[in-house]
Amino acid sequence: MEVLKERFKKKADEAATEIKGILKDHSNDVIGEVTLAQVYQGMRGITGLVSETSLLDAHEGIRFRGYSIPELQEKLPKAKGGSEPLPEGLFYLMLINELPSEEDANTITELLQRRSHVPNHVFDAIDALPIETHPMTMFVVGIMALQTESHFAKEYARGINKKDYWDPVFDDAMDLIARLPRIAAYIYRRKYKNNQHINPNGLLDWAGNFAHMLGFEDEGFMELMRLYMTIHADHEGGNVSAHTTHLVGSALSDPYLSFAAGMNGLAGPLHGLANQEVIKWIYELREKLNTEQPSKEQIAEYVKTTLSEGKVVPGYGHAVLRKTDPRFTAQMEFGKKHMPDDALVQTVWNIYETVPPILQSLGKIKNPWPNVDAHSGALLVHYGMMEYEYYTVLFGVSRALGVLASLCWDRALGQPIERPKSITTDLVKKWLNKEDNIWGD
Ligand code: CMX
């Protein structure tokens, strides 16, 4: 067994024993109550699942296994000559629950390189789609075509013991993470660069090689990809892409099926697709006002028009966060360091100064502050990646690190099929009229 797998198994066994002990003594402890509003309004704030890889605090933002983004930037291994964290290191941290050494991160890079072969039928499946197909659709089709390679699906068909589910799931997770950059780069080069594809460079790290296959050799872009792939990787378990992957995986659908389902969720404009919507929205604003650098007054007017048309301001608001997203701040810092004079980046910063008070004044928006998607596009445009419809694919490649590490934990901890209770409004009315004693009160 490879070292990483052994380490994972040891950690997972320890955790499983610990959880068993906790449940033995505390199974009936109550950890929250549920209101009718929560049931009707997106289950917001209901604690209902375990996701080991990260935890989101409304005011502080995300922590991966206890570490904030600035702490990760300081403590995770870097590429040679670089200053941003290697996403391989974050993956190790999420999977093993320990900070990786440089050697640990390099081991992941090597393992991923070894597993990165993508069979031709995957490219054929993508090629069968019309060129105007959205890149996220191509991405999901590519992942689904790759499902032929699932170790878990094969082992399950052979009758694997349930104690061993985690093992082929682990292999599938590693294979998928290794192969996604190739699939994603293929989609980019097919759709936007005349089908001129670029071979992988085995000397580069995972994110650096992804940048290379996309066609961006600039060291600044490679650094951006390392940061981007790190900060988008995980956002605890309840967001649509993580929760969907977990939910579908709970039916023992293999990691390809589960991750593809999660990516269908990421492709929604209230979730990951917001990163394309932000740039589209800024471009429309610039075009309408015929200026490259709209003033704060012009931005404010445009925000009001957007709201009056019954649309959301993309990149702002969050279901859990109640402060500026630290993932936004990390990208702002990157912008200040690498491109402080970029007109589009400055517009993003002017929007940041303009939008929150307007949203706040509406009185109904719980979080007027920017989320991760408000900034990412402007940094990509700076390096020449103009094709904003592609941006959510980058988010998806990164998100694989978190949700697939989580899927390994789900199976190693023997998490059961997920099946919450739903109700009907008829039943609610009966309960309110005390005609039915459904909840025993
Ligand atoms: N612009 C305009 N209205 C907004 C808004 C925004 N950015 N954010 C929230 N609202 C509105 C909601 O639509 C809702 O309106 P109604 O009561 O009329 O239905 C009201 O404010 C209350 O919403 P909320 O409780 O503050 O927010 P939710 O938890 O329901 O939704 C989110 C969270 C992210 C979907 C929402 O803020 C939004 O639509 N933002 C814009 C899209 C976006 O940036 N999504 C990316 C999120 C990060 C990610 O997953 O990638």
Side-chain angles (χ1 to χ4, degrees):
M1 212 194 287
E2 68 192 30
V3 177
L4 186 69
K5 210 185 227 186
E6 262 172 40
R7 275 187 209 169
F8 170 73
K9 178 67 175 136
K10 188 169 170 288
K11 286 281 176 181
D13 284 348
E14 286 165 8
T17 307
E18 210 177 356
I19 292 167
K20 216 168 153 188
I22 293 172
L23 285 178
K24 186 170 160 280
D25 297 334
H26 300 283
S27 264
N28 293 322
D29 290 12
V30 174
I31 62 166
E33 42 181 48
V34 177
T35 66
L36 198 54
Q38 287 175 304
V39 173
Y40 271 95
Q41 291 163 358
M43 299 193 278
R44 209 71 84 251
I46 299 178
T47 303
L49 59 149
V50 175
S51 185
E52 304 286 3
T53 45
S54 64
L55 188 66
L56 182 57
D57 178 87
H59 297 281
E60 204 192 38
I62 193 70
R63 278 184 181 268
F64 302 83
R65 295 285 193 182
Y67 294 97
S68 67
I69 288 173
E71 285 167 355
L72 291 184
Q73 284 175 303
E74 188 204 318
K75 292 180 193 301
L76 286 181
K78 322 272 185 295
K80 249 199 196 88
S83 58
E84 297 299 342
L86 285 171
E88 291 93 320
L90 174 67
F91 180 65
Y92 184 96
L93 174 65
M94 289 190 290
L95 194 67
I96 306 293
N97 195 11
E98 270 174 26
L99 275 176
S101 65
E102 214 159 286
E103 198 189 331
D104 294 328
N106 291 340
T107 303
I108 305 257
T109 306
E110 280 163 31
L111 283 175
L112 295 177
Q113 269 164 9
R114 257 190 270 145
R115 290 169 176 262
S116 65
H117 173 73
V118 176
N120 277 337
H121 73 267
V122 173
F123 301 124
D124 293 343
I126 294 169
D127 285 342
L129 296 167
I131 198 77
E132 61 274 15
T133 307
H134 192 280
M136 276 306 279
T137 309
M138 294 192 190
F139 190 49
V140 172
V141 166
I143 296 161
M144 287 306 300
L146 199 55
Q147 191 267 347
T148 51
E149 309 307 293
S150 172
H151 299 284
F152 180 80
K154 289 188 191 94
E155 291 297 331
Y156 193 86
R158 272 191 213 123
I160 187 176
N161 188 312
K162 61 163 81 167
K163 288 202 312 287
D164 300 324
Y165 286 165
W166 70 273
D167 189 313
V169 164
F170 183 100
D171 282 324
D172 280 353
M174 293 299 291
D175 284 354
L176 246 170
I177 292 167
R179 291 161 176 179
L180 288 173
R182 281 218 68 192
I183 295 174
Y186 186 87
I187 292 165
Y188 184 72
R189 304 292 305 179
R190 171 180 185 242
K191 189 167 166 78
Y192 304 113
K193 304 289 169 189
N194 274 332
N195 247 324
Q196 288 171 335
H197 299 287
I198 298 169
N199 285 329
N201 177 346
L203 298 175
L204 287 167
D205 53 287
W206 182 73
N209 184 40
F210 183 26
H212 159 76
M213 290 187 290
L214 287 165
F216 295 84
E217 300 298 344
D218 190 306
E219 188 47 40
F221 187 84
M222 291 197 179
E223 280 285 271
L224 175 61
M225 275 303 101
R226 290 170 191 131
L227 176 67
Y228 190 112
M229 293 293 136
T230 299
I231 62 176
H232 286 79
D234 209 33
H235 219 222
E236 75 171 29
N239 67 78
V240 172
S241 53
H243 189 191
T244 308
T245 307
H246 165 81
L247 168 68
V248 175
S250 83
L252 298 185
S253 305
D254 65 57
Y256 294 84
L257 298 169
S258 308
F259 180 64
M263 289 300 97
N264 282 312
L266 193 75
L270 296 189
H271 189 19
L273 204 80
N275 62 8
Q276 81 165 40
E277 296 300 296
V278 166
I279 289 298
K280 190 168 159 229
W281 185 83
I282 298 176
Y283 281 172
E284 281 165 6
L285 156 70
R286 298 207 306 190
E287 199 178 293
K288 202 164 169 204
L289 300 173
N290 200 21
T291 170
E292 288 259 303
Q293 268 186 305
S295 66
K296 288 180 194 161
E297 291 71 32
Q298 288 173 313
I299 293 168
E301 275 313 302
Y302 197 70
V303 170
K304 285 174 193 159
T305 308
T306 300
L307 294 171
S308 71
E309 290 169 347
K311 298 190 267 191
V312 295
V313 179
Y316 282 77
H318 200 273
V320 180
L321 281 168
R322 295 294 175 258
K323 283 268 168 68
T324 296
D325 191 336
R327 300 171 299 175
F328 177 91
T329 311
Q331 295 179 89
M332 193 158 113
E333 294 304 321
F334 188 94
K336 282 184 194 161
K337 184 171 164 192
H338 293 272
M339 59 200 77
D341 301 324
D342 183 289
L344 184 62
V345 170
Q346 285 185 351
T347 297
V348 166
W349 298 343
N350 285 336
I351 293 171
Y352 180 30
E353 287 183 29
T354 315
V355 167
I358 300 175
L359 293 184
Q360 217 149 22
S361 72
L362 298 179
K364 67 170 183 177
I365 296 174
K366 296 193 193 69
N367 177 39
W369 302 105
N371 58 57
V372 67
D373 301 312
H375 209 310
S376 52
L379 302 179
L380 296 166
V381 169
H382 174 82
Y383 289 107
M385 182 180 267
M386 320 301 284
E387 303 87 355
Y388 56 73
E389 273 200 345
Y390 183 76
Y391 294 169
T392 312
V393 175
L394 298 177
F395 194 157
V397 174
S398 167
R399 188 44 60 102
L401 298 173
V403 301
L404 292 172
S406 274
L407 209 56
C408 293
W409 275 93
D410 292 349
R411 295 291 76 76
L413 296 178
Q415 289 210 4
I417 188 162
E418 192 173 285
R419 204 326 185 166
K421 176 85 186 87
S422 73
I423 50 172
T424 63
T425 300
D426 269 348
L427 187 68
V428 168
K429 284 192 294 190
K430 281 183 189 155
W431 170 63
L432 291 174
N433 290 332
K434 310 218 179 302
E435 288 168 34
D436 200 318
N437 188 23
I438 38 172
W439 291 296
D441 51 8

